[in-house]
Structure formats: structure tokens, C-alpha cells
Amino acid sequence: MSARLPAFDAHRRLLFTVAYQMLGSVADAEDTVQDAWLRWSAADRDDVADPRAWLVRTTTRLALDRLTSARARRETYVGPWLPEPLLTDEVPDPADEAVLGEQVSLALLVVLESLSPAERAVFVLREVFGLPAGEVAAALGRSEAAVRQLAHRAREHVAARRPRFDADRRAHREVTQRFLAACVGGDVGALLAALAPDAVLVTDGGGRSKAALRPITGADKIARFLAAVSSEGASVPGLRMELATVNGLPGVAAWSDAGPFVAVSLGVADGLVHQVLVVLNPDKLSGLRAGVGSA
């Protein structure tokens, strides 16, 4: 079994990222990778011609099983459901970048939630990681023709719903810095200046933390809500907010004396914040402790 560990570790980050993008959950992705390891350690080596393909196929199937049960649990979730945020490297190692493929933002993960499990699997494997249709078909136990149809539907669905935000990281970071300063200062005027008039804010507290139970639309309402939250945050022991790379993009993270407190992901376009995704549920903040390399 010990001889198999290096082979598994060589693909561990890829497997974690596949599972995370499938599930939108750091904890579930870590559990899925652990389950894949158990399957790998018990597999007959003579039956594994391509370890990477075998591991991706196994991880995808395990993630699909978890996704079905996770969706059932979300039907009783309190308030809006957002994916779990994940701290990532500001400038990933080139080798890691090749393994991880395109970094998926929280905004895109929200869109992926509206796909069927099979469509989501195909989109992640084909569009994010660029795996051949034959390899994806083997992972899902479907024909290549079926995979191509699923990929076409998933691409159309994502293209229609994916927010159009700026890709310029420097501009994104500058807007995020202004947004953070305004939040920390509770400055309604500065927040209004940073927000697009039709901006939308979504907060996920899961019934565990105080949060808005519905999305908030409009710069004025969002600015006043964030200013009130900032005022309340002043009473949290040891609270510190700072710029962080959240799912590959500049965002905001905060910690208190008790541990991770909040993660904020922003959608930025034309120098303004158009979308604010706020995760407050403490059960979803394990990715603020360990980051992408935790798997």
C-alpha cells in the first residue's frame, strides 16, 4: 500500500479540485478524496492501466453520489445557499496551474448549482479541465455522444447565466481595496461610490450566523446593510478583515478570536462592484483555515 501513496499524491490536488468544483464544498471534497484513496488502496494494480484516469473517474463518481444527497439537504437550508469559499494562492505555481486548470470563482460555482449533476460533471471535466470526451464518458458511464450533448447543454446554460465581470486582476484588486476600506469604516457614502446601482448582495448564514434571508438588490440598501453589519462587527472579539484571494480572485476574509468569521467574493465590472457574495455560516469556512493545498 505504501508504494501506492506517491502515485496517489501526484494527483491529489487534481482530485480535490474536481471534487470541489463538483460539490462546492471543501469538507465534502476532502471526504471524497479520502474515499477515492480507500478505493485506490484496495484496487488491483493489474486492473489500473492509467492511474490518473482511474482516479479521476473514481472521484467523479463518488462526487456525483455526494452531490445527490447534498442537494436533498439543501432543500431545508435556511436562507440562500452559497458554495464554500476557498483561499487560494495569489500567483499559483505554474505546475499547480496546469493541474488545477481554470480557477472557478464563487460566482461561477453558483451558476453550476443550477445544472443537473451529469451536466455539472461534464462541464467541470470538459470545460474546466479539458479532458477528452472519451475519458469523460468513461468517468460517467455514458456514451461519447451523450457526453457531447450534455456538454452542449451545460455550455449554453452557463453562458446564459454566467455574470460578465472584468478579468483584469489589478482593477479587481483596486475595487476590492476600496470596498474593504468602506466596509471597515462603515462609510455609507464610500460604499455607494463602490457599488453599481443595480448591485446584488447574497449572504449565507445557514441559520448559524445572522444574515439576510433573501438577496438584497440596489446600492443604497446594500450600503446601509453593510454599514450596519460593520457597526455590529466592532463588538466581535479580535475581528480582523483583510484582502485575500478567494477562489482565485481578490476578495475579503475575516477572522476573530474564535476562528474564521466571514469570506466575501466580489463581482467587479467597469470599476464597480456588481455582486457581493458573503459566506458567514461557520460550517462553510474550513477553507479559510487551510486553503487549496489542504486536500
Side-chain angles (χ1 to χ4, degrees):
M1 183 181 296
S2 60
R4 297 187 174 199
L5 187 56
F8 185 86
D9 281 345
H11 305 295
R12 184 184 291 266
R13 182 167 292 205
L14 168 64
L15 302 181
F16 171 80
T17 309
V18 168
Y20 172 65
Q21 294 175 353
M22 282 283 298
L23 298 165
S25 164
V26 174
D28 284 347
E30 290 173 338
D31 288 344
T32 299
V33 172
Q34 180 60 27
D35 289 345
W37 158 246
L38 293 175
R39 300 285 182 91
W40 170 251
S41 63
D44 186 339
R45 189 177 306 184
D46 293 335
D47 293 336
V48 181
D50 183 343
R52 177 182 175 276
W54 189 96
L55 287 166
V56 168
R57 181 168 64 249
T58 300
T59 299
T60 300
R61 290 175 177 173
L62 290 168
L64 281 169
D65 290 342
R66 284 184 175 272
L67 185 58
T68 300
S69 58
R71 289 193 166 192
R73 293 195 303 271
R74 289 170 199 168
E75 292 179 2
T76 59
Y77 196 80
V78 178
W81 186 96
L82 290 175
E84 291 183 18
L86 182 68
L87 295 188
T88 51
D89 296 333
E90 181 70 26
V91 182
D93 181 274
D96 290 342
E97 203 167 26
V99 170
L100 292 175
E102 175 191 353
Q103 181 62 51
V104 173
S105 67
L106 283 187
L108 181 54
L109 286 175
V110 169
V111 175
L112 295 187
E113 282 296 310
S114 61
L115 298 178
S116 72
E119 289 171 342
R120 182 166 185 166
V122 169
F123 186 88
V124 169
L125 297 177
R126 287 281 287 159
E127 303 303 316
V128 177
F129 291 100
L131 297 187
E135 194 169 335
V136 178
L140 299 181
R142 295 176 180 245
S143 67
E144 290 189 34
V147 164
R148 291 191 180 93
Q149 288 182 337
L150 286 167
H152 178 72
R153 289 205 303 267
R155 282 195 302 269
E156 285 192 333
H157 188 100
V158 170
R161 292 164 176 78
R162 187 174 188 174
R164 301 295 183 225
F165 298 139
D166 291 341
D168 187 329
R169 291 181 60 85
R170 180 176 295 181
H172 194 125
R173 185 177 182 84
E174 290 174 355
V175 173
T176 304
Q177 286 175 321
R178 287 195 286 113
F179 178 84
L180 174 59
C183 284
V184 171
D187 188 334
V188 172
L191 283 166
L192 283 171
L195 292 161
D198 59 350
V200 177
L201 177 144
V202 181
T203 58
D204 178 344
R208 298 288 312 282
S209 297
K210 186 177 180 181
L213 294 178
R214 295 180 181 82
I216 299 174
T217 302
D220 184 68
K221 290 181 180 178
I222 293 173
R224 296 185 187 284
F225 175 85
L226 291 175
V229 169
S230 175
S231 177
E232 293 176 5
S235 63
V236 177
L239 184 65
R240 63 189 190 281
M241 299 184 70
E242 58 188 58
L243 284 175
T245 306
V246 181
N247 288 68
L249 293 172
V252 176
W255 294 262
S256 70
D257 288 347
F261 185 77
V262 66
V264 182
S265 178
L266 303 178
V268 175
D270 301 321
L272 295 173
V273 176
H274 287 253
Q275 182 187 66
V276 186
L277 303 179
V278 182
V279 180
L280 288 154
N281 184 344
D283 294 338
K284 291 188 171 186
L285 298 178
S286 63
L288 269 65
R289 294 187 181 94
V292 73
S294 61

